[in-house]
Amino acid sequence: MSQVQEISIQLDGISNVLKTRRFHVPAYQRSYAWEAEHVGALLSDIGDAIKNSEKEYFLGSVVITGPVDRRFDVVDGQQRLTTVSLLIATIRNKFVSEGDLEAGTSIRNDFLASVDRKTKEREPKLTLNEVDNELYQELIEGQGLIDEARYPRQSHKRLLSASAVMRDFIDNLYALSHEPDDELHEWLDYLESNLKVILVIAPDDSNAFVIFETLNDRGLELAISDLLKNYLFHRSADKIEESKNRWLTMVTILESVSDDPLVVTYLRHFAMSRYGLVREKELFGLIKRKVTTKKAALQFASDLSMTARTYAALINTEHELWLKYDSGIRDAVATFNLLGMVQVRPLLLAIVDKFSVSAAARAFKTLVAVAVRFQIVGGAGGGTLERIYADAAKGVTEGRLKNIDEILKEFSVLPNDSSFMSAFAVATISKQSLARYYLRMLEGASNSELVPNPDVTKVNLEHVLPQTPADKWSGWSQEDARAYVKRLGNLAIVSQKINSTIGNEGFDKKRKELEKSSFAFTKMISNYSQWTPKDVEDRQFKMAEAAVKVWSIK
């Protein structure tokens, strides 16, 4: 009961919350997440509320702990605090640009940053995590142009975009107003008194995490990662610092391999590698059922941290994890990424964890063939593939499936040689990187001593029938040209020198140049006296016969 009595809950204007306290976003919290469209929607809503004289506009809850060294840690609400403070900074900048320096100074001191009367140092009202804080402080200060090249992360781009949206909005508001200064002051007053949040102040993290889950209004700022993170921290009790450090390690590893947010995707794939198919909306409930004690929470946080390294390696082929494997596994990882086959990652996580190095390498190679077959044959939607791979991952984790042969036997759907060959024989490939991959693999299999260079500056993709046929190709109807130009049978890989020579020439000239090629399927084109739809089909059928062996699952 004493813990409950220590919790403070109050309704307050969000700017007044910034005005009367200082805040810090802990390192384990995710970075800025609001997109330009969400910022624009908030500005529009606030504008409508002011125009309609609405006494209150409710913005949700802000959960904080502390204070420690006169600062409160933000458990929930950093997105709103950050966005509103950027808006205040934008209004301040407008006053300054219009010559009202006194108003600009007053706004900064009240809501953004003040100067400590003892140390004379600037003290911002809000500091973000280490990833975002430097840029955020530059935006809050509003001094000169920002060198955007120094801020390459996606959260940086979102902060810059949010600031730009606000600048355009306030400039437009000022230009259209009959009394622009008064209107900006009206906005500041509304933010301070009428744009309401429920401010919840808890004495420690344990209380705050329970409140976060209970009061969260499920707005934009909510992510599965936030709910799960705070639940783990709460369950960790007096070992909370250990869980925080492990969570931060996980986030740091994931951010090192991608600017795009990966945490939620990783959390789901991690869970699927253990428990089978899990939809995003089911993830939090599942973890709550599985993790019910302090020991389980610490172990789960530790496993998340350790497995994040493997997940990072599934994105980065140069990751040090692959040093103990042969180069084939790097090629397999690169192919999964090229194919966009993210559904297979839960199974790959389980294989790396449970299989020996040699067994894992063989499994990866075979699963590439499986992935290619699924891509070419089609029919198995993303949901079906997720279930197939997730069920297999669970079997590997539980020890039921001990090698790739046992995994394949468990697959409910698997394109056989006949269906794969039939589909390959008529495949149309629009994405050039995929077409180059299929052709390189076919050519490499036909001559193991001559593997095509993957460098696009050395080996080019050639459309025998050009994408924009000239008069020299008058034998092709427009309908046939559209249908066959991206058929795999019409595509070839050639040296950059040959490609620049034949350009958009007719078939007779192309045929003579392609005959010089060292690549078997490219050279094959010279065997045809003319180039017709039937010839494209004939060459592609021969490719399909070879493809069954190249991407064999036996």
Side-chain angles (χ1 to χ4, degrees):
M1 188 67 181
S2 60
Q3 284 186 324
V4 175
Q5 291 173 342
E6 293 179 27
I7 294 172
S8 168
I9 301 177
Q10 63 189 74
L11 189 65
D12 202 352
I14 191 167
S15 289
N16 195 55
V17 170
L18 285 164
K19 186 177 184 178
T20 55
R21 298 169 183 83
R22 289 189 174 88
F23 300 96
H24 168 68
V25 176
Y28 60 78
Q29 296 282 25
R30 64 194 176 111
S31 299
Y32 189 69
W34 279 29
E35 302 286 353
E37 62 190 273
H38 305 124
V39 175
L42 177 63
L43 293 173
S44 178
D45 287 350
I46 296 172
D48 289 343
I50 293 173
K51 188 183 301 181
N52 297 329
S53 300
E54 295 179 16
K55 292 184 179 181
E56 290 183 346
Y57 182 96
F58 183 58
L59 202 55
S61 60
V62 174
V63 182
I64 60 177
T65 64
V68 176
D69 295 331
R70 297 188 301 152
R71 283 195 179 274
F72 292 86
D73 275 1
V74 181
V75 175
D76 180 39
Q78 67 143 321
Q79 307 295 333
R80 283 159 292 174
L81 289 172
T82 303
T83 303
V84 170
S85 63
L86 287 173
L87 175 57
I88 294 170
T90 304
I91 295 174
R92 184 273 318 274
N93 293 343
K94 192 61 181 178
F95 276 118
V96 171
S97 69
E98 294 298 326
D100 193 343
L101 301 182
E102 188 174 352
T105 300
S106 177
I107 293 168
R108 185 195 68 175
N109 291 342
D110 280 348
F111 304 111
L112 301 175
S114 56
V115 177
D116 186 275
R117 58 186 172 83
K118 290 183 179 180
T119 65
K120 303 298 187 288
E121 292 182 354
R122 172 182 168 277
E123 291 192 346
K125 296 287 188 178
L126 173 66
T127 58
L128 303 188
N129 64 21
E130 292 181 3
V131 171
D132 288 344
N133 192 55
E134 184 177 356
L135 172 58
Y136 169 73
Q137 298 303 333
E138 280 202 56
L139 291 170
I140 291 300
E141 281 297 292
Q143 296 179 352
L145 294 175
I146 292 175
D147 181 6
E148 296 186 12
R150 295 179 55 232
Y151 302 107
R153 292 182 177 272
Q154 289 299 314
S155 59
H156 297 160
K157 294 174 184 177
R158 286 190 284 268
L159 282 167
L160 290 165
S161 177
S163 182
V165 169
M166 292 174 187
R167 183 173 60 250
D168 291 344
F169 183 89
I170 295 301
D171 284 347
N172 188 58
L173 185 72
Y174 196 90
L176 296 177
S177 177
H178 296 298
E179 297 178 335
D181 287 354
D182 289 345
E183 186 152 3
L184 291 187
H185 281 297
E186 184 179 12
W187 269 71
L188 288 171
D189 291 341
Y190 197 88
L191 296 177
E192 184 174 359
S193 302
N194 305 85
L195 191 64
K196 300 287 191 179
V197 293
I198 294 176
L199 180 66
V200 183
I201 307 175
D204 54 48
D205 287 340
S206 179
N207 283 281
F209 299 142
V210 174
I211 295 165
F212 169 80
E213 184 182 339
T214 304
L215 294 183
N216 201 292
D217 58 302
R218 298 182 181 274
L220 170 67
E221 81 291 340
L222 175 63
I224 298 297
S225 56
D226 289 329
L227 280 172
L228 179 54
K229 169 187 64 184
N230 287 287
Y231 176 75
L232 289 176
F233 290 174
H234 170 57
R235 279 293 175 195
S236 299
D238 60 328
K239 299 291 185 180
I240 188 172
E241 290 303 319
E242 293 182 33
S243 284
K244 282 183 180 179
N245 290 334
R246 292 166 188 176
W247 185 275
L248 180 57
T249 298
M250 175 197 76
V251 172
T252 301
I253 290 172
L254 296 176
E255 286 185 345
S256 72
V257 293
S258 175
D259 287 334
D260 294 324
L262 275 180
V263 174
V264 175
T265 302
Y266 166 65
L267 291 173
R268 194 164 77 90
H269 286 169
F270 173 85
M272 289 165 67
S273 73
R274 295 184 166 204
Y275 311 121
L277 183 65
V278 183
R279 303 299 183 194
E280 187 173 315
K281 64 182 180 180
E282 303 166 343
L283 181 59
F284 179 57
L286 171 69
I287 301 307
K288 284 186 70 174
R289 293 194 301 273
K290 298 292 184 180
V291 180
T292 58
T293 65
K294 177 173 69 175
K295 182 179 179 181
L298 286 170
Q299 186 61 54
F300 195 82
S302 180
D303 291 345
L304 283 175
S305 175
M306 294 177 63
T307 308
R309 179 171 174 264
T310 304
Y311 200 81
L314 295 178
I315 298 170
N316 175 21
T317 57
E318 299 303 314
H319 196 281
E320 61 180 10
L321 177 69
W322 305 129
L323 292 177
K324 62 182 178 181
Y325 295 85
D326 64 45
S327 61
I329 206 162
R330 295 175 188 261
D331 294 338
V333 171
T335 303
F336 290 131
N337 292 332
L338 175 65
L339 296 173
M341 191 61 73
V342 296
Q343 300 96 329
V344 75
R345 287 178 185 169
L347 177 54
L348 301 181
L349 289 176
I351 287 172
V352 171
D353 183 41
K354 296 296 183 180
F355 284 13
S356 68
V357 168
S358 59
R362 178 171 174 258
F364 271 51
K365 180 181 178 181
T366 304
L367 287 171
V368 165
V370 171
V372 168
R373 289 181 176 227
F374 277 132
Q375 289 265 328
I376 293 295
V377 174
T384 301
L385 289 179
E386 277 202 331
R387 181 174 296 281
I388 290 171
Y389 288 128
D391 288 348
K394 181 183 179 184
V396 171
T397 298
E398 293 175 345
R400 291 189 293 103
L401 307 178
K402 297 181 174 60
N403 55 58
I404 186 60
D405 297 323
E406 293 181 356
I407 290 174
L408 295 184
K409 289 178 182 177
E410 286 285 304
F411 278 13
S412 57
V413 179
L414 187 62
N416 59 28
D417 287 353
S418 177
S419 60
F420 176 53
M421 181 175 167
S422 297
F424 202 95
V426 295
T428 295
I429 311 297
S430 298
K431 194 174 181 180
Q432 291 201 10
S433 58
L434 281 179
R436 290 172 57 86
Y437 164 72
Y438 292 136
L439 293 170
R440 282 195 302 106
M441 293 301 293
L442 288 169
E443 295 290 6
S446 67
N447 184 351
S448 60
E449 295 181 359
L450 184 66
V451 180
N453 193 327
D455 188 345
V456 296
T457 65
K458 305 293 184 182
V459 176
N460 297 158
L461 182 67
E462 168 68 17
H463 292 73
V464 183
L465 169 71
Q467 297 186 75
T468 53
D471 293 341
K472 300 168 185 176
W473 297 87
S474 57
W476 283 79
S477 68
Q478 288 187 353
E479 183 179 352
D480 281 346
R482 282 195 298 269
Y484 282 85
V485 69
K486 293 182 180 179
R487 283 278 296 267
L488 203 56
N490 186 57
L491 306 178
I493 47 177
V494 297
S495 67
Q496 193 277 335
K497 181 178 179 181
I498 291 179
N499 184 258
S500 62
T501 300
I502 58 181
N504 206 30
E505 295 291 341
F507 182 67
D508 286 342
K509 184 167 183 179
K510 283 193 174 189
R511 180 170 170 262
K512 293 175 182 177
E513 292 297 326
L514 295 175
E515 188 177 13
K516 302 173 185 176
S517 175
S518 301
F519 303 134
F521 282 102
T522 298
K523 188 180 183 68
M524 180 188 294
I525 298 168
S526 65
N527 296 335
Y528 299 95
S529 59
Q530 53 185 332
W531 197 244
T532 66
K534 184 178 179 180
D535 298 321
V536 174
E537 292 171 357
D538 182 73
R539 176 171 176 258
Q540 191 160 341
F541 181 79
K542 292 181 173 65
M543 289 176 159
E545 289 180 316
V548 172
K549 299 176 182 177
V550 173
W551 292 285
S552 173
I553 55 176
K554 296 179 180 178

